[in-house]
Amino acid sequence: MTTERKTPIRYGMVGGGAGAFIGAVHRHAAGLDGEYQLVCGAFSRNQDNNQATAAELNIAPERVYADWQQLLAAEAALPAEQRMQLLVVVTPNQLHVPISSAALQAGFAVFCEKPAGVTLQETRELATVLKQSNQLYGLAHTYLGYPMVWQARELVQSGALGQLRKIYVEYPQGWLTDDLESSENKQASWRTDPAQAGASGCMADIGTHAFGMAEFISGQRVTELCAELKSHVPGRRLDDDGAALFRTAEGASGVLMASQICAGEENALKIRLYGEKGSLEWHQMEPNTVILKPHGAPVQLLRAGRGMPGLGQEANRRCRLPSGHPEGYLEAMANLYSDFAAAIRAGEHGQPSGVPGIAAGLRGMAFIETVAASGSSNQKWLAVPDIRDSL
Amino acid sequence: MTTERKTPIRYGMVGGGAGAFIGAVHRHAAGLDGEYQLVCGAFSRNQDNNQATAAELNIAPERVYADWQQLLAAEAALPAEQRMQLLVVVTPNQLHVPISSAALQAGFAVFCEKPAGVTLQETRELATVLKQSNQLYGLAHTYLGYPMVWQARELVQSGALGQLRKIYVEYPQGWLTDDLESSENKQASWRTDPAQAGASGCMADIGTHAFGMAEFISGQRVTELCAELKSHVPGRRLDDDGAALFRTAEGASGVLMASQICAGEENALKIRLYGEKGSLEWHQMEPNTVILKPHGAPVQLLRAGRGMPGLGQEANRRCRLPSGHPEGYLEAMANLYSDFAAAIRAGEHGQPSGVPGIAAGLRGMAFIETVAASGSSNQKWLAVPDIRDSL
Amino acid sequence: MTTERKTPIRYGMVGGGAGAFIGAVHRHAAGLDGEYQLVCGAFSRNQDNNQATAAELNIAPERVYADWQQLLAAEAALPAEQRMQLLVVVTPNQLHVPISSAALQAGFAVFCEKPAGVTLQETRELATVLKQSNQLYGLAHTYLGYPMVWQARELVQSGALGQLRKIYVEYPQGWLTDDLESSENKQASWRTDPAQAGASGCMADIGTHAFGMAEFISGQRVTELCAELKSHVPGRRLDDDGAALFRTAEGASGVLMASQICAGEENALKIRLYGEKGSLEWHQMEPNTVILKPHGAPVQLLRAGRGMPGLGQEANRRCRLPSGHPEGYLEAMANLYSDFAAAIRAGEHGQPSGVPGIAAGLRGMAFIETVAASGSSNQKWLAVPDIRDSL
Amino acid sequence: MTTERKTPIRYGMVGGGAGAFIGAVHRHAAGLDGEYQLVCGAFSRNQDNNQATAAELNIAPERVYADWQQLLAAEAALPAEQRMQLLVVVTPNQLHVPISSAALQAGFAVFCEKPAGVTLQETRELATVLKQSNQLYGLAHTYLGYPMVWQARELVQSGALGQLRKIYVEYPQGWLTDDLESSENKQASWRTDPAQAGASGCMADIGTHAFGMAEFISGQRVTELCAELKSHVPGRRLDDDGAALFRTAEGASGVLMASQICAGEENALKIRLYGEKGSLEWHQMEPNTVILKPHGAPVQLLRAGRGMPGLGQEANRRCRLPSGHPEGYLEAMANLYSDFAAAIRAGEHGQPSGVPGIAAGLRGMAFIETVAASGSSNQKWLAVPDIRDSL
């Protein structure tokens, strides 16, 4: 055992003032493992909210900034042992690339909410900035922090399912069943506003999670898709629902469904993968189980839990508790934070080990643009841009 | 209480010799409620099998026929109080229309396995024969005999979900994961043989169940679809997997998935319908529950069971047992038989009340032909033929 | 293949007139596999009901009898090839032994509803009659007809769980939550009437199922128990709820819970067995699955279905359908009928192979009497009588 | 909005060195909401472990103490604005009372792992110390931090179930199926050692959770019980399994089952309560759902989630995330920490609002002593001591 003291990573936050759901999620997750200290922020353009949030979070008054530009300038001017090491970006989508780029250029690691940006083009430019910056960039695909998502990926990689044939991924939510954006619901308003959310509503908000998970677990690359997108709620300006057929480079076919008008659904992300030798499924709302269905043998329930027999190394190290003590969404996000801290401590650059990075961001943008285009196209199949040239 | 004796309906069977799954299903179902007596049959072209099956079933030797043509001729010649009243057709698909037509023309009611035929055109001709025959024709869409399928339909009709927006229906099976047809598996062989099964394998075999259930419960009519079909197993001659986006005349959109290469799946037909005010789902493998998800209120589990509070009349009368005593697939089929018996006793003609009929058959064929065409088309949307002119 | 015709077993019924739940269950079950023909009955002491039931069931008028005494006398006088071969007894409990004894003595096989009688003593006498009669006697412990109950038993016998340590068996129902017997509910009235039901209500009605299943699956013998019984509903004359700690001769300990005042429960019989090497559980309301939990390895879901890999022979032969086509309560009962038919055809006597018999009946009565005594005793442990001397 | 800065509560820890499960749980939970800062500790009697743990946790070297006595003395001597405000006690059971008493007397609030002590007598003395100290004392009954446990309690209090009749509570685990204590498993060793664990193994470790939850949700007081305890593993010195029948002062009866030799089980705490008007159940392994079963109406699934319609205030304020984003065990513990922080800030004394306190501790000890006594007694019913005179 070593006795060298381990000091927490200093981080700052843009966005996440009182009333914003996702900022608090990031702070809970960063706090869970004791690896981080929040030292500065520009939490809201509303300065009352900004100050109140900062006070609640015990931020030193001189490190509460009016906007992200001031934050970057002031923090960069601080001595290395004081200034923040990581900037967390939890603003509406249209600011993701501008802030991330500036932060990377100012010498900070960045952990950004998804999607990476609002167009594929600006995200390609961000990728270039990242390459030049020698910094770390992570993307908050929270669901990729779940231990059993890693277990699923490992099962596929190990050949337990054989050659994959079919992927079903679905993400039904019901919270946009009503016209919330016409009332004062901030969450609904920006997500259905093309100026803030980009070319797509539902597909950018949650379809991209479904897509990212399909590629992550399968290890395959979607090459073309055929989609229908709809706005079921009258007056809504972006899609609130959609589905796509898709094909992968490796020969599998699949179906992706995402919807925010599935009345009665909570947050029911679910994926199923079928191969020649068996299949598996994982449900976000029961995240501690992978259902493994070997062809011609009984279904098995693989369970999360530190030290569980049969659990792969990647899944196991993402569990804090013995099986039967449920871990959830915040722990999944905390796993991303924990790996990001290790990457900072190890002096990594580019994509932090264990954390989705710019590649996931580019793929997500390629998906969003393609699915949006397909939704308004009469052509059956559209190609999903290959982004490997931007990495 | 009346004391007039109720005598069973006399029925005959074509197909269903030893080794055939579905023939036994029909006989179990017909036996369950004591409404039927099997009096004659042509169970197999193999006369050893035919005779042995008949002996096992206690058929009088003079009413075991070498083929369906002899059966129809001989039974028609019997006195009315002896001859069969109903012919059950459980042969491979390509015989469905020829036998059904001949039986109707010979003056017998017909209960036929699905699909109704192998082309829409021959099924339209069958519809004409039926109209001219003054007889009854039912189609064994077994899943439409489940009480909770009727409950789901009634919930939609009652407006409990509001205007429907989204329909997801899926039917994953795994039994054709391997190349069974190259070994001696009869079930696999005819289903993957275009000469016996028609234009489609998976979609004709099970996709049609999914489609029929979607239209039955929603009460809506699918007008166009966009599909991909695949044969994942090398050498297989018909689709073993597919998915389709679809739209209804009433404004809903949907996704239909059917596959027989979903390794590890049993018979997992499932449907979900989403409306403005809530949603519901039903799973064939847990058939005694409808999951009702009202928008903004707790999920409810509606349960089958004779006399259960809240159960609609149509669902209730299809339950034999109090809740908690599971009824299953054979009981669902038995419900079709029971309603068919009542229709015969009541002197109905055309479609027996409570039993899928020629309209369901025509819709199924319209679906099969359209989905097969879409699978090999580059056009995004294909129209599903409207069959109401054939009724 | 043989071509000798198989003729159905002729059976008669005492009890089971219109309005009686269990009589119809027996008739459905007997009809399911085409092995039986109902030829006579004394369905109700109310002769209008008796005649109407008989007409509905297509019984020849001369074989509808006013009471069971007449039935036995008249049937015994018929030629062997006409008279009934099996008498089904579905009356209230206090008539089980008198009718069964008389029927055995008159030369008929008997299939009786549980419990076998109202006292252990009269059931011992019935056992003596059976021994002298050279006839068959079966007891309708329906739940022991489920394929997966046999699978569970086989897993225990095979040593898959190792030495058993713990048994939990529970049977909560809610239908007696209210004082139904004060209204006109016949089912509730006789079950809560000591003159018709015997020394116990809930324990005789359903506790005995739980007890029988524990002994059947475990293969162990309960030697002592410690119980509390209650009547929660004011004015109720027999227990409507109870629980017992118990010990087996082989060293396991267990808990048995049975209740009919568990508001909101349907018919939730469930058993769990724990051994040194693993455990299993089975739920009557999801009867097609055994949950196998090996120690230190993932949970497995063993599934019913004709031909399912890994299913034992006893379970497999009790399945009619491939997996994923749910079979339920009536099929379980039909399995008892099917095995009873085979036993009759094979000329067995005593206990029909595969069907619970007098031993199960004696054990059930030993349980009922002991648990009722324990419920009103201050002694902690009471011995459960060993009934092997009566066999 | 206020702009007064909120500073974290300073806490110290006794126990919880590397290798100890529960210490890390407390630190995760304390970190989750950003309300606490760990400032000192005596983490292990092994000074290498103690120092290494402290370094990993970024504890100032001068506040790492060799034992709890030094910790209390040194911290008490620090200026008020520096010294710890709360001591977390996560040692084996036999130290709970000595450390808690000394800490309270030294002027510190205490949050202690359960059980409160090893005898009821020493816990009564602790209660006296607490009364005299004017300090806060909380007990880490983690499961009472779950939002849906509070929802269950509120449903009972609101009368939704009517008068309670029956309580089933069970807690099967499988981790002591093998003789782990003979190998080097520290968790198993002290829990099966009477000198460290007290009069009971399984009942003290987990039975007390089951008991506490039954009293907490029901709001009723168990007055007598009848138990059997066993050590199934040869050589084990304390019970690893047991069950008890019990009665409450308010007229309900119940069954409590707890076992650590239920091979294949993880941590399956589950409670069911039945009343005249309905019932509810809650499972720790699916903690975000309460299953509500109204008598004569469909089952409802009540779900956790900030702002969920129908959720009570106490449940709602314990949720951080919208429904469908699972929260788990650490969040439950964090809820206790969050309420304890609020109690410290509000200057409360005795039992912190929302946190189990000395009353729960005394009841737990009364249960443990009674159940252990009953396990070795031939008397059927033993009275559970009333502890209200010690409060």
Side-chain angles (χ1 to χ4, degrees), chain B residues 356-369:
Chain B
I358 194 67
L362 289 163
R363 286 303 289 166
M365 293 313 304
F367 165 72
I368 292 168
E369 291 199 353

Side-chain angles (χ1 to χ4, degrees), chain C residues 170 228 247 265 272 274 279, chain D residues 170 228 247 263 265 274:
Chain C
E170 60 185 72
E228 180 176 44
R247 295 166 173 169
E265 298 288 2
R272 292 174 279 181
Y274 297 91
S279 58
Chain D
E170 60 184 74
E228 180 176 43
R247 295 166 173 169
E265 297 287 3
Y274 296 91

